[in-house]
Amino acid sequence: DEYFRRVFIANPDRDPALPTLVSEDESGRVVGFIGVVPRRLVADGRTYRAAVSSQFVVEPGPEAEFAAVRLLRAYLEGPQDVSIADEATDAARALWSGLGASTAHLLSMHWTRVLRPVRFAASFLRARRRFRPVARVLGSCSPVADALVARLPNTPFQQPRAFAPPQEISAAIAVAHQEEFCHPSALRVVHDERSFQWLLDRAARASVDHHPVTGVVTGSGRVRGWYIAALDGQGQCDVVHLAALRTAQREVLEALFQHAWTRGAYAVSGRVDVRFMPALTDSSCVFHQRGHWMLVNTSSVDLLRAFESGS
């Protein structure tokens, strides 16, 4: 499969010491899989090795639970300083917790900013079978209704008449300025241009027409922040990265919302970032839990505290 090859084999951060793992039965048949992506983290000048897991699957059967525990234990006992599961299911959370892992509750939360309320409502109802007739009616009238709502003054849905998108982000810009937007004591991922470009390419592949919603916000001759988001074919815009000076967070969010609106998005969502909480609240965002969890396993008290506090 192209996805597994690209993410777990062709990843520029691939580390032979942190491989993707499979579980085999007595006949050598693969009955379980856990994908692993390495990350290099830094805080207070100290570097940590992280392993992010995903696609944790086990073949159903009487030995499934045993295979899952064995596979997960092998992963958690690797040489990494911290093991991370992003958007884990309740079942995976139970397994991780049984092996001593913690749940990063704050980082398991998401925010959503609705841009086109009628189309958003239609999308929400379409996923519920009994309300699909209502969703079809709303969908048919949503272009006109949302255009009218966007002209209502003093509402969260009001949009400017014209908007020139900011300069698109590049790996060179992000790497050159990445340290400016994090406190030295905060935990952050270290990227070089090659690894950051790989992430930009991933966002492009996940976006309609392979064109993500990205922008660099500048002012007074300096970079004030940027945003990177993937826009799907239905109109949902998912933020994968936000960066901003403390005084420019609202400015960067507004640029993101306006850019996403011009691209036809009905809503913008992202993971909760404590640095942006005041700006997200002031921007009429709704906070919610998607039903998945961020899980962390580490023997480092400092690393665990960073994830639990959202820093």
Side-chain angles (χ1 to χ4, degrees):
D1 185 276
E2 179 63 18
Y3 167 82
F4 289 92
R5 184 198 67 79
R6 185 186 304 120
V7 173
F8 302 118
I9 298 176
N11 191 316
D13 287 327
R14 185 170 179 266
D15 184 348
L18 297 174
T20 287
L21 304 174
V22 297
S23 177
E24 300 178 344
D25 62 14
E26 294 180 354
S27 65
R29 188 171 60 93
V30 173
V31 295
F33 174 90
I34 184 167
V36 179
V37 174
R39 283 286 181 266
R40 188 160 59 97
L41 310 179
V42 65
D44 278 330
R46 182 176 179 181
T47 300
Y48 302 93
R49 178 190 282 183
V52 183
S53 68
S54 65
Q55 309 299 326
F56 181 21
V57 293
V58 176
E59 183 179 61
E63 300 295 324
E65 185 173 349
F66 173 74
V69 171
R70 183 177 60 183
L71 187 59
L72 181 57
R73 180 176 285 117
Y75 161 66
L76 295 178
E77 291 176 352
Q80 64 269 20
D81 298 302
V82 57
S83 305
I84 305 165
D86 197 18
E87 298 205 343
T89 64
D90 288 335
R93 184 188 182 198
L95 282 175
W96 277 64
S97 298
L99 294 175
S102 301
T103 301
H105 290 278
L106 184 59
L107 294 177
S108 298
M109 296 293 293
H110 288 74
W111 55 266
T112 293
R113 170 68 148 81
V114 177
L115 304 178
R116 289 177 165 84
V118 180
R119 188 175 167 195
F120 176 83
S123 175
F124 179 82
L125 295 174
R126 195 176 296 118
R128 290 149 180 82
R129 182 174 300 178
R130 61 182 296 189
F131 294 113
R132 284 176 184 171
V134 179
R136 284 195 291 270
V137 174
L138 286 177
S140 64
C141 68
S142 63
V144 174
D146 283 327
L148 293 174
V149 171
R151 289 173 170 79
L152 293 177
N154 303 318
T155 72
F157 311 112
Q158 183 181 17
Q159 296 294 331
R161 295 297 181 96
F163 171 69
Q167 170 191 352
E168 287 193 6
I169 186 68
S170 68
I173 290 175
V175 171
H177 297 277
Q178 60 183 341
E179 294 186 20
E180 299 175 22
F181 304 106
C182 281
H183 190 276
S185 64
L187 191 67
R188 64 178 178 85
V189 180
V190 179
H191 289 290
D192 56 24
E193 290 190 25
R194 184 185 177 206
S195 65
F196 202 91
Q197 184 60 52
W198 183 85
L199 294 172
L200 286 174
D201 293 341
R202 290 279 301 141
R205 289 189 179 94
S207 298
V208 62
D209 298 327
H210 288 180
H211 185 51
V213 177
T214 71
V216 178
V217 178
T218 59
S220 302
R222 66 175 300 188
V223 173
R224 294 176 58 78
W226 61 75
Y227 53 85
I228 302 170
L231 177 65
D232 69 19
Q234 304 303 313
Q236 172 64 39
C237 188
D238 283 317
V239 177
V240 295
H241 189 54
L242 278 175
L245 297 173
R246 185 179 56 82
T247 57
Q249 292 167 355
R250 182 70 182 271
E251 182 182 353
V252 170
L253 284 175
E254 288 302 320
L256 163 65
F257 299 149
Q258 292 170 10
H259 193 172
W261 191 85
T262 63
R263 289 285 307 276
Y266 63 75
V268 181
S269 295
R271 186 183 301 280
V272 164
D273 185 328
V274 292
R275 298 169 301 171
F276 282 83
M277 285 289 283
L280 290 168
T281 302
D282 292 343
S283 299
S284 302
C285 295
V286 177
F287 298 91
H288 55 97
Q289 211 276 334
R290 286 183 173 180
H292 295 86
W293 307 95
M294 175 179 280
L295 310 175
V296 182
N297 186 76
T298 179
S299 60
S300 168
V301 175
D302 291 337
L303 285 175
L304 185 59
R305 185 182 297 117
F307 280 95
E308 291 181 339
S309 66
S311 63

